[in-house]
Amino acid sequence: MKYLKVIAFTHKQIELKELGKLVICEENLTGKLQQVKADFGITEIFYLATCNRVEFVMLTPQVVDKAFAQKFIEALNIDLCAKYMGTFVDAASIYEGRDALNHLLRMSCSLESLIVGEKEILAQLRKAYECSREEGLTGDGLRMFMNCVVKTAKEVYTNTNISKNPISVVSLAYRKLKDLKLCTNARILIIGAGETNQNISKYLQKHKFSNFAVFNRTLSKAEKLAVDLNGEAFTLDALATYNKGFDVIITCTSAVEPIITPEIYTTLLNGETGKKTIVDLAIPNDTAPEVLEQFPVNFIEVYSLNEVAKRNLQERYQELTHAETIIEDNIAEFCLMLKQRKVELAMRQVPEKIKEIRNTAINSVFADDLEGMDAHSREILEKVINYMEKKYISVPMVMAKDILINNN
């Protein structure tokens, strides 16, 4: 437990518009994490980036403090200037041991989210962990913690009303889009085929929108979403030549630089001059600020959803206490499980030692005596020895676990 550390940058201390400066491009992520894992004596690590947080979860014996956080971020080479580096490090939340587990559980249950009660964070957290696990960045330690995280989140969502009539960033964005009263054949460009855009696409389908073009860095993913929407699929490069016009752009990618530049936007307009709509759910924004300065745009972004999020927290306040009780119970259960696991690891040599004693007794100490025994007597003795051997292995383990439980 003491090796579990979390460095967190969240909407609570940092403006959402600034958080994007900490996002790592997916193409470079594995290499960067492998490098810091080796350089900083980190046993296991994974990285989480959502619309309102960037976090690094790790197992390490190293002291993780503000000085460590600064060196760690510098080593990631994400081109932060000195001004932002100081700001972000000052605003970083650092958790260790039980506090780190409590933070992960609260986060997975959406208690730390911009929108309390939304379930997307659990899926995002699991996906972030799985990506690192597949790359060999995590092992048995973080697997145990993630099992606890998933179990706890499911209990909270099942046994409280915290997610009753759930409101997510995606659903809030769609509500704002719906208020514009667009016709169902509006031309919608979807940039990015990740989970967020998949989710907002479900809302659009449900409300009978039917005219889609999907753009993604990987064409196969664009094609998969386009098939679901009965639309067209393109790579991101095709934005520079797309000339069929649009009414709405919905964008959410992991790009660290704006995708919708004034030049790209002009091409997409294809000579049209009317006011268009951009729903930008990316952190950092996929839309360059110059686009908003130079063109008439209805702009919907994560930052603008803050006030609704605050009201959402007030509405769900009564459920927080119940959720926190479930979290505390799961932490206590997990701590006991860790102690039991330590006993199991400490006693895993017991079976081998007992077998050694058995073999020495039979083959050396009492070898002459056994030679003089008849077959039937020897068979009975073997049964007794085998029975005693099993009990000498299982009884101490059970007793040790009982002592742990009774002491807790």
Side-chain angles (χ1 to χ4, degrees), residues 132-158:
S132 284
R133 184 187 64 79
E134 290 169 4
E135 296 294 340
L137 292 163
T138 69
D140 192 52
L142 285 179
R143 179 190 62 78
M144 292 178 61
F145 285 108
M146 283 302 298
N147 286 344
C148 178
V149 164
V150 173
K151 173 180 176 292
T152 304
K154 288 182 176 179
E155 286 184 21
V156 168
Y157 290 131
T158 300

Side-chain angles (χ1 to χ4, degrees), residues 264-283:
I264 292 290
Y265 193 79
T266 299
T267 300
L268 295 174
L269 285 172
N270 195 33
E272 297 177 16
T273 58
K275 191 173 188 178
K276 306 294 184 178
T277 297
I278 299 177
V279 180
D280 191 334
L281 301 180
I283 296 291

Side-chain angles (χ1 to χ4, degrees), residues 86-337:
T87 300
F88 286 143
V89 169
D90 288 343
S93 296
I94 297 175
Y95 304 93
E96 179 177 348
R98 188 185 179 105
D99 290 339
L101 179 57
N102 182 59
H103 168 72
L104 291 177
L105 298 186
R106 287 179 59 84
M107 177 170 62
S108 70
C109 301
S110 83
L111 303 192
E112 301 288 339
S113 293
L114 187 66
I115 311 295
V116 173
E118 57 92 3
K119 294 183 178 180
E120 289 174 22
I121 182 60
L122 178 58
Q124 291 167 330
L125 185 58
R126 293 178 75 172
K127 182 179 179 181
Y129 164 73
E130 285 298 328
C131 288
S132 284
R133 184 187 64 79
E134 290 169 4
E135 296 294 340
L137 292 163
T138 69
D140 192 52
L142 285 179
R143 179 190 62 78
M144 292 178 61
F145 285 108
M146 283 302 298
N147 286 344
C148 178
V149 164
V150 173
K151 173 180 176 292
T152 304
K154 288 182 176 179
E155 286 184 21
V156 168
Y157 290 131
T158 300
N159 299 316
T160 76
N161 289 323
I162 203 162
S163 61
K164 185 178 180 181
N165 299 320
I167 299 174
S168 66
V169 170
V170 168
S171 64
L172 290 176
Y174 179 75
R175 288 184 188 186
K176 286 205 167 190
L177 186 60
K178 187 179 178 183
D179 289 342
L180 298 175
K181 302 189 183 303
L182 300 166
C183 60
T184 54
N185 67 344
R187 299 162 297 174
I188 302 176
L189 307 186
I190 297 181
I191 303 175
E195 186 175 358
T196 298
N197 278 354
Q198 290 173 28
N199 288 338
I200 201 166
S201 295
K202 292 175 184 177
Y203 282 97
L204 295 166
Q205 277 184 302
K206 181 179 178 180
H207 292 90
K208 310 302 181 185
F209 287 92
S210 59
N211 193 345
F212 298 98
V214 182
F215 300 79
N216 193 65
R217 195 177 308 278
T218 305
L219 181 59
S220 60
K221 291 184 178 179
E223 290 173 336
K224 184 177 179 181
L225 181 55
V227 167
D228 293 339
L229 296 172
N230 195 28
E232 298 180 288
F234 305 90
T235 62
L236 281 182
D237 294 341
L239 286 169
T241 56
Y242 188 81
N243 60 4
K244 297 183 181 181
F246 74 95
D247 298 298
V248 179
I249 293 175
I250 298 175
T251 184
C252 185
T253 75
S254 60
V256 295
E257 296 293 336
I259 289 176
I260 307 171
T261 61
E263 295 75 21
I264 292 290
Y265 193 79
T266 299
T267 300
L268 295 174
L269 285 172
N270 195 33
E272 297 177 16
T273 58
K275 191 173 188 178
K276 306 294 184 178
T277 297
I278 299 177
V279 180
D280 191 334
L281 301 180
I283 296 291
N285 283 348
D286 286 332
T287 309
E290 294 79 10
V291 171
L292 307 181
E293 295 168 2
Q294 298 175 22
F295 301 92
V297 175
N298 292 314
F299 190 58
I300 301 170
E301 60 171 338
V302 174
Y303 184 76
S304 66
L305 304 175
N306 255 326
E307 287 306 313
V308 181
K310 290 177 182 177
R311 292 197 298 272
N312 168 265
L313 177 60
Q314 293 172 350
E315 291 168 3
R316 283 164 170 73
Y317 185 79
Q318 295 300 322
E319 294 301 313
L320 296 184
T321 302
H322 189 184
E324 287 168 350
T325 299
I326 293 173
I327 288 172
E328 280 301 313
D329 290 344
N330 273 274
I331 291 176
E333 180 182 320
F334 184 76
C335 288
L336 179 57
M337 185 191 73

